[in-house]
Amino acid sequence: MLSRLASLPRTRALALCALPVAALFAVAGLAPLPYAIAQPGTTADVLGKDQGREVITVTGAPVRPTDGQLRMTTILATGPSASIDLGDVADAWFRTDRAVLPKSSVYPTGQSDEEIEQHNLGQMKESQDDATLAALGYLKLDPKKVKVTLHLADVGGPSAGLLFSLGIVDKIDGDGDGGDLTGGRTVAGTGTIEPDGTVGAVGGVSLKTQAAARDGATVFLVPKAECSDAEAELPKGLRLVPVTALSDAVASLRALEQGQESQVPSC
């Protein structure tokens, strides 16, 4: 075999040697890979309505009319059972509006599509409960006397927690001086929330900033630990404001509303 190959013209020999490699890549290109492809998703104004219902409803405390918007952001990812091949990965790799993520970082392993959907909805419900406790704790209101109902259909996961808390604060207290926490702006952001107000990282922020800018936001609240990710594909005209806690976010929005730019941190 070796001697016969040596007698062939070099170009032909290289071509013949390449055939098994080419076949291997062809098979790899068709094989499903353990990745998910994500892109900018929808945004929703937590101060507004969803499917005809107020996203935030408060009883037991006075509620003020609001101006401006607080938009929670999402990413849209291929489903857990979707077949992603090498061509899909290669296409997404070179696009700024796509991200290739390990499937295990997006979805729990070993569960069906239906189980994962229920898991994500459960995370959303827990996030809403934590957001309510964080906001009422910040406002020093008794959760036994003030009831907050949050409604947002077709969205799962915990990453809207910070925006829910800010929406509750704005509806009840505004900027604390009779004005809007947003200052009439369209503010977007992301971040998990703990009952004590701590803000946590979420992932996918470079895609969420694109969704925010697309839907008119000029300010984006980002967990401080994810500043570098948010800066990677930052749309022009979108200001990043890093936060570590609900109190940080409120203080920064109040400073922006009052024109105190020097008091607002940046990434």
Side-chain angles (χ1 to χ4, degrees):
M1 184 71 168
L2 289 174
S3 60
R4 185 177 179 183
L5 182 62
S7 67
L8 292 172
R10 179 173 173 80
T11 53
R12 187 180 175 193
L14 289 175
L16 290 174
C17 290
L19 283 176
V21 179
L24 179 63
F25 274 104
V27 172
L30 297 174
L33 298 173
Y35 297 110
I37 307 298
Q39 65 187 64
T42 60
T43 72
D45 178 20
V46 300
L47 296 175
K49 294 183 178 181
D50 176 61
Q51 297 184 356
R53 292 175 56 185
E54 293 287 339
V55 175
I56 299 174
T57 303
V58 179
T59 55
V63 175
R64 54 183 299 281
T66 58
D67 194 13
Q69 298 182 16
L70 284 169
R71 303 196 75 87
M72 55 81 65
T73 54
T74 69
I75 60 171
L76 181 63
T78 52
S81 62
S83 180
I84 304 300
D85 60 30
L86 188 60
D88 298 321
V89 172
D91 175 67
W93 193 265
F94 294 101
R95 295 180 57 169
T96 59
D97 63 342
R98 296 289 187 275
V100 181
L101 305 172
K103 191 173 287 187
S104 60
S105 72
V106 181
Y107 301 109
T109 57
Q111 297 186 13
S112 68
D113 290 12
E114 292 75 17
E115 289 172 331
I116 289 172
E117 181 179 4
Q118 290 304 310
H119 171 80
N120 287 341
L121 291 176
Q123 284 189 316
M124 170 61 89
K125 178 61 171 62
E126 183 178 353
S127 173
Q128 292 175 340
D129 293 343
D130 290 346
T132 297
L133 291 174
L136 295 182
Y138 174 82
L139 295 170
K140 296 179 172 53
L141 294 174
D142 187 347
K144 296 180 180 179
K145 295 181 180 182
V146 179
K147 181 181 178 183
V148 178
T149 302
L150 300 172
H151 166 78
L152 191 61
D154 303 324
V155 177
S159 65
L162 171 61
L163 272 293
F164 281 136
S165 288
L166 288 171
I168 296 168
V169 171
D170 199 13
K171 286 218 166 195
I172 295 176
D173 194 49
D175 66 354
D177 293 314
D180 291 294
L181 191 57
T182 62
R185 298 176 176 83
T186 296
V187 176
T190 190
T192 63
I193 197 82
E194 297 295 329
D196 66 358
T198 302
V199 173
V202 291
V205 292
S206 66
L207 298 176
K208 292 179 178 180
T209 57
Q210 294 179 53
R214 179 199 65 207
D215 292 352
T218 57
V219 175
F220 190 91
L221 303 171
V222 60
K224 187 175 181 178
E226 296 183 292
C227 266
S228 60
D229 292 340
E231 290 177 307
E233 300 294 342
L234 185 64
K236 184 177 180 180
L238 186 64
R239 177 173 184 165
L240 291 179
V241 177
V243 297
T244 59
L246 174 61
S247 56
D248 293 346
V250 173
S252 291
L253 291 179
R254 282 178 173 169
L256 283 174
E257 194 269 336
Q258 295 166 5
Q260 299 172 346
E261 300 283 331
S262 62
Q263 297 185 25
V264 181
S266 58
C267 286

